[in-house]
Amino acid sequence: MSLHDDLQPDTLRKAFGRFPSGIAALCAIVDGAPQGIVASSFTVGVSMDPPLVMFAVQNTSRTWPIVRTAGRIGVSVLGTGHDGVCRQIASKSGDRFAGLQLHSTDDGALFLEEAALWLDCSVEQEVPAGDHHVVLLRVHALTTHDDAHEPLVFHGSAFRRLEQPAFV
């Protein structure tokens, strides 16, 4: 076994890509318009009491400072049909919500249709973490859509789907 100390961003990105993760869109209505970011660093189960989830956002994000001003943020854990949606919302130009089927709450949380999970959240705390901030979100409400949509997985810099077991 040999370990190396090459911790350059490209090497780290490739190494961290060995860990599969779900992908979440964090969206809200801000000043009457949809705003949102995509996070592959999203994690559930941080705390059950109070109910907390978290994600990491780059300090250079131009969209997070806008989204975080919303009273409520809709977290949509992306489903298997959302690879294009993920790219669209993560885009740096154009109408990032054009043609998307969206649902919003009276508090401004914004959700994507056919997501594996919806969480209605508010910002609980932000913690500086190097070139990112770790953001803790308090969960106020949720729906699993009766497990109707399988989650999209990000692994090795590619979108993947969970394989369903074959019954013989």
Side-chain angles (χ1 to χ4, degrees), residues 72-91:
R72 291 292 178 89
I73 298 169
V75 176
S76 298
V77 174
L78 299 186
T80 54
H82 284 141
D83 7 355
V85 171
C86 181
R87 287 185 189 92
Q88 182 175 338
I89 293 174
S91 168

Side-chain angles (χ1 to χ4, degrees), residues 3 14 29 38 129 149:
L3 297 172
K14 184 176 179 183
I29 302 292
V38 174
H149 310 290

Side-chain angles (χ1 to χ4, degrees), residues 120-152:
D120 180 359
C121 298
S122 63
V123 175
E124 180 82 4
Q125 184 178 4
E126 291 187 57
V127 180
D131 59 1
H132 282 65
H133 269 71
V134 173
V135 181
L136 293 170
L137 300 172
R138 181 180 290 252
V139 179
H140 299 281
L142 62 87
T143 186
T144 62
H145 308 287
D146 297 323
D147 298 328
H149 310 290
E150 289 295 312
L152 186 63

Side-chain angles (χ1 to χ4, degrees), residues 8 15 17 26 62 64 68 70 81-83 90 107 110 137 139 146 166:
Q8 296 300 311
L26 296 97
R62 291 179 290 164
W64 175 243
R68 72 188 293 266
H82 284 141
D83 7 355
D107 293 323
L110 186 62
L137 300 172
V139 179
D146 297 323

Side-chain angles (χ1 to χ4, degrees), residues 40-106:
S40 62
S41 60
F42 182 76
T43 302
V44 298
V46 173
S47 171
M48 299 298 174
D49 185 19
L52 299 175
V53 296
M54 71 178 198
F55 73 102
V57 61
Q58 290 180 338
N59 294 337
T60 58
S61 172
R62 291 179 290 164
T63 307
W64 175 243
I66 298 167
V67 173
R68 72 188 293 266
T69 65
R72 291 292 178 89
I73 298 169
V75 176
S76 298
V77 174
L78 299 186
T80 54
H82 284 141
D83 7 355
V85 171
C86 181
R87 287 185 189 92
Q88 182 175 338
I89 293 174
S91 168
K92 299 216 186 290
S93 62
D95 181 351
R96 298 180 305 140
F97 291 90
L100 300 183
Q101 293 181 331
L102 305 170
H103 300 274
S104 64
T105 67
D106 292 341

